[in-house]
Amino acid sequence: MRWSKTLLLQKLTCLRFSFSSPFLIGSSMVVFAVSMACALAFFGIYAAGAICLALLMILLLLIRQDELAAVVVIIVHLYVDWYLALRVVAPVLAALLLCCFFLLRSSHYPWAELRAPFLWLCFLCLTIIPAIQGGITLYDRLFYYPNIIAGAMLMFWLGSVVGRSLVSVKHVFQWLAFFAALIAIHTIIQGKSGVFLLSWSHMDAYIADHKNYYLPGNPHVIRPGSFFIDPDWSSSFFAITLFLPLSLLVKCISWRARVLYLVEIVLLVIALLFTYSTGAVLAAGAGALTFFSLGVAPRYRWRMILGLFLGLLALVLLLPEDIALFLHHATDAGNLNLRLGVWHTALRVITAFPLSGIGLGLYAYLQRAEGFRVPAQFLPLAQPHNSYLELAAMAGLPVLVIFLVLLCWFLAHAWMIWQRAVGRDRTLLAGGISLVVALTFSSLSINAWTLPPLSAIGWLLLGCISSPLLSDLHRVDMEG
């Protein structure tokens, strides 16, 4: 009888929550709309945006959608901090979220301590002087230390707290995959019609000054960058987020969910193709090999190979012109020679300043690396198009070593968690590991790990899949 009363009480609590949640969401949305209208009328668009963002985060905390709140930080990183150039909104938002999660911690929503605090402390301290030396402009002062250095720790910690279970990790994957699909649609529209949705006039002028990043030798072909602006950055975004719906597709058993994830994969692949980025495609290949090894059971690998072959065949048949343009761009020796020249210049800078670097700043690098520029780099550039060379040249080799130790340390933790997992849970974790591997390879050709929106995604997902709170590794997951 005692057991039945307890069960009845649990059922009534769930029923009450099911009725109160729609009311809470509906009333919150009304308050949200009224507040936005008032803020627009009295304070302007930036104040209205801040108020709406605050209300949205409060709503998500009230209904405990912690995973969606973390993905909102990524969205703010891209559109507000990067595209609108406000720079530090997302790091502040991540810090506030961590404070809220700490205050709201409970047995159902546990707190995770920051792991490897000594390594993070070294990373934060060793970069202070280079950040001061390179902070010539306000842009550089807000770009590197708050986002790339402190932001890395905040996003990783946020991922560790949010990734409290495999269900939570899956929800992060689902929300981020959905967001990536929306960016893919935006990119496809921009690439084929030239229309930039939700654009701002100052960025339209900037993109026009760069001639819409047209394909060299084909000025009528636009390389769309979406809200990343530069197509090399957007292509890396598609190359890494591709493994989120892919892991969800392999993991799920519901045919409706599989159709959704398959559509997201198709959108991401097409958007990646329209950027015509060789480095991103190679990074996606490195991630695919990782996922093939870790996320696909041996008895299903032939299906994966067949699906990959059919997908490539469909691309060749449906988009032959775009495939031809991509191959032509990939085999262009001029781009490779310029990239090699940029790396050679960075190596000369590192040789001259191996311990301290020349300062964490794009403008500082543009000025101070000019005396080391080799003839193959026929134009001055603000960064060496390689995250590892960038950290070493700007902040010194010790900073690069600490960064790599942090990356390898937490990848090793994710690997150990993957080993403890069974069945389809391994597929989910393999998707996160593949994303980090793809981002790491992409950083060899562009500044992926040192670009705030991409870096934030990498550290957040690395924190999720290596979280010490992951304890449900042996459950049977039958969800779609």
Side-chain angles (χ1 to χ4, degrees):
M1 180 63 68
R2 184 177 302 175
W3 177 85
S4 60
K5 286 183 179 180
T6 304
L7 181 61
L8 179 60
L9 182 61
Q10 291 176 351
K11 293 292 185 181
L12 289 174
T13 303
C14 295
L15 184 62
R16 183 180 62 182
F17 181 78
S18 65
F19 279 109
S20 63
S21 294
F23 174 76
L24 177 63
I25 294 173
S27 58
S28 300
M29 294 308 294
V30 172
V31 174
F32 183 84
V34 173
S35 302
M36 182 176 182
C38 295
L40 279 172
F42 293 102
F43 301 107
I45 191 168
Y46 285 107
I51 293 173
C52 293
L53 179 61
L55 289 174
L56 175 61
M57 300 307 290
I58 292 173
L59 172 62
L60 294 177
L61 288 173
L62 284 175
I63 61 177
R64 294 315 305 245
Q65 291 293 322
D66 298 349
E67 302 87 359
L68 180 55
V71 175
V72 168
V73 176
I74 299 296
I75 298 173
V76 170
H77 243 307
L78 176 59
Y79 190 77
V80 177
D81 282 357
W82 184 248
Y83 182 69
L84 299 183
L86 296 185
R87 303 302 170 204
V88 293
V89 177
V92 172
L93 189 60
L96 290 176
L97 265 184
L98 284 171
C99 292
C100 292
F101 290 155
F102 177 77
L103 295 174
L104 298 174
R105 67 192 185 279
S106 66
S107 58
H108 294 289
Y109 300 97
W111 173 254
E113 299 291 340
L114 179 66
R115 286 169 299 153
F118 178 75
L119 289 176
W120 283 115
L121 183 63
C122 291
F123 190 55
L124 293 175
C125 293
L126 287 175
T127 49
I128 291 177
I129 294 178
I132 295 174
Q133 292 176 340
I136 299 176
T137 65
L138 178 62
Y139 178 95
D140 285 332
R141 287 194 291 270
L142 296 179
F143 182 88
Y144 274 98
Y145 201 87
N147 289 283
I148 306 303
I149 308 301
M153 184 191 70
L154 290 172
M155 294 306 298
F156 175 81
W157 200 351
L158 182 61
S160 298
V161 175
V162 170
R164 59 179 62 94
S165 67
L166 288 171
V167 174
S168 298
V169 173
K170 186 180 73 172
H171 289 166
V172 173
F173 280 29
Q174 289 171 329
W175 284 116
L176 196 53
F178 181 72
F179 170 65
L182 293 180
I183 299 297
I185 294 173
H186 186 274
T187 302
I188 294 170
I189 293 174
Q190 181 190 2
K192 287 305 177 183
S193 67
V195 177
F196 196 112
L197 302 177
L198 301 175
S199 65
W200 286 62
S201 57
H202 69 288
M203 293 311 305
D204 290 340
Y206 179 85
I207 295 173
D209 287 341
H210 286 74
K211 300 179 181 178
N212 291 317
Y213 291 96
Y214 69 87
L215 198 64
N218 295 276
H220 64 284
V221 179
I222 295 176
R223 296 185 64 205
S226 186
F227 299 114
F228 286 92
I229 304 171
D230 193 309
D232 288 334
W233 295 327
S234 64
S235 62
S236 291
F237 173 75
F238 299 130
I240 65 175
T241 55
L242 176 64
F243 299 101
L244 301 178
L246 181 59
S247 61
L248 293 168
L249 174 68
V250 177
K251 180 182 185 297
C252 74
I253 58 176
S254 168
W255 68 267
R256 292 185 181 89
R258 287 183 175 180
V259 170
L260 173 63
Y261 300 143
L262 185 60
V263 170
E264 290 174 347
I265 291 171
V266 171
L267 289 173
L268 292 173
V269 170
I270 293 175
L272 175 60
L273 174 62
F274 286 174
T275 60
Y276 306 104
S277 175
T278 309
V281 172
L282 293 176
L289 289 175
T290 304
F291 185 78
F292 186 81
S293 302
L294 302 180
V296 183
R299 64 181 181 276
Y300 295 129
R301 286 176 181 173
W302 66 270
R303 296 184 186 180
M304 187 71 128
I305 296 174
L306 179 61
L308 179 62
F309 173 77
L310 293 177
L312 293 176
L313 181 62
L315 282 178
V316 172
L317 295 177
L318 297 176
L319 301 170
E321 182 179 354
D322 294 287
I323 293 293
L325 289 172
F326 169 78
L327 293 176
H328 181 268
H329 181 64
T331 55
D332 185 7
N335 293 325
L336 179 59
N337 292 333
L338 174 60
R339 193 61 55 91
L340 292 175
V342 174
W343 295 342
H344 190 187
T345 298
L347 289 173
R348 295 183 66 184
V349 172
I350 295 169
T351 303
F353 302 94
L355 297 179
S356 63
I358 59 176
L360 276 169
L362 300 175
Y363 189 73
Y365 187 85
L366 187 65
Q367 280 189 330
R368 297 166 185 168
E370 186 64 19
F372 301 92
R373 181 153 62 99
V374 299
Q377 181 187 332
F378 53 83
L379 73 163
L381 294 173
Q383 43 92 10
H385 289 265
N386 181 303
S387 289
Y388 314 110
L389 294 179
E390 181 178 346
L391 287 173
M394 292 185 180
L397 288 173
V399 171
L400 174 61
V401 171
I402 293 295
F403 174 84
L404 293 176
V405 169
L406 282 168
L407 185 59
C408 295
W409 180 274
F410 296 125
L411 267 177
H413 276 272
W415 166 263
M416 289 187 289
I417 292 175
W418 176 87
Q419 288 183 313
R420 286 162 44 206
V422 295
R424 296 177 184 270
D425 292 339
R426 281 193 166 190
T427 301
L428 189 70
L429 295 170
I433 294 174
S434 301
L435 181 146
V436 176
V437 169
L439 183 61
T440 302
F441 271 83
S442 182
S443 298
L444 293 171
S445 59
I446 66 161
N447 54 331
W449 269 118
T450 45
L451 189 80
L454 296 176
S455 173
I457 295 173
W459 286 116
L460 177 71
L461 269 296
L462 186 55
C464 283
I465 61 176
S466 63
S467 175
L469 302 178
L470 287 176
S471 58
D472 55 342
L473 298 174
H474 300 288
R475 64 178 177 79
V476 179
D477 183 9
M478 298 300 291
E479 300 178 8

